[in-house]
């Protein structure tokens, strides 16, 4: 269970444009649902493009089932969930999740 998050950094790659954006997470909240699902809600702010508006992201973690997903209000359908895979989880308190589809590759680096 994740109780506290020190930081969230996100690397967002758009494959067909060959572009990379870097984001810092802020206003992080962690809630545990009655069914054991962890909901991590935060805003993302582009580190280099200060003109880009921050947007909201929600991570959904079901560690017992090894199921992870996210949704973000920057997409056309902000309620659509995208699957994540865990790349790394270590004893030093770092978790790395990735979403990798045809168009994008998104890395969520979570420091506990």
């Amino acid at each position: 269970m994740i109780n506290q998050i020190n930081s969230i950094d996100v690397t967002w790659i758009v494959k067909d444009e060959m572009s990379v954006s870097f984001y810092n997470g802020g206003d992080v909240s962690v809630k545990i649902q009655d069914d054991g699902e962890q909901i991590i809600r935060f805003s993302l702010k582009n580190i280099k493009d200060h003109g880009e508006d921050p947007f909201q992201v929600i991570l959904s973690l079901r560690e017992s089932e090894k199921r992870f997903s996210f949704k973000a209000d920057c997409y056309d359908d902000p309620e659509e969930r995208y699957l994540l895979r865990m790349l790394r989880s270590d004893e030093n308190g770092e978790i790395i999740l990735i979403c990798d589809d045809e168009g994008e590759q998104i890395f969520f680096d979570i420091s506990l």
Side-chain angles (χ1 to χ4, degrees), residues 5 9 12 29 34 38 43 48-49 53 62 64 67 70 80 82-83 90 100 106-107:
I5 294 175
D9 296 308
W12 202 301
S29 71
D34 291 337
Q38 288 186 283
S43 63
K48 295 185 179 186
D49 183 357
D53 289 334
R62 289 186 183 271
S64 61
R67 289 182 34 213
F70 85 98
E80 185 173 355
Y82 298 89
L83 294 179
D90 66 26
D100 188 10
I106 307 164
F107 296 87

Side-chain angles (χ1 to χ4, degrees), residues 7 10 19 33 35 39 43 46 54 57 61 68 79 85 99 104:
S7 67
V10 176
S19 66
Q33 307 288 358
D35 63 0
I39 302 295
S43 63
N46 194 314
V57 174
L61 309 176
F68 313 101
E79 293 304 312
R85 289 180 296 136
C99 175
E104 299 175 315

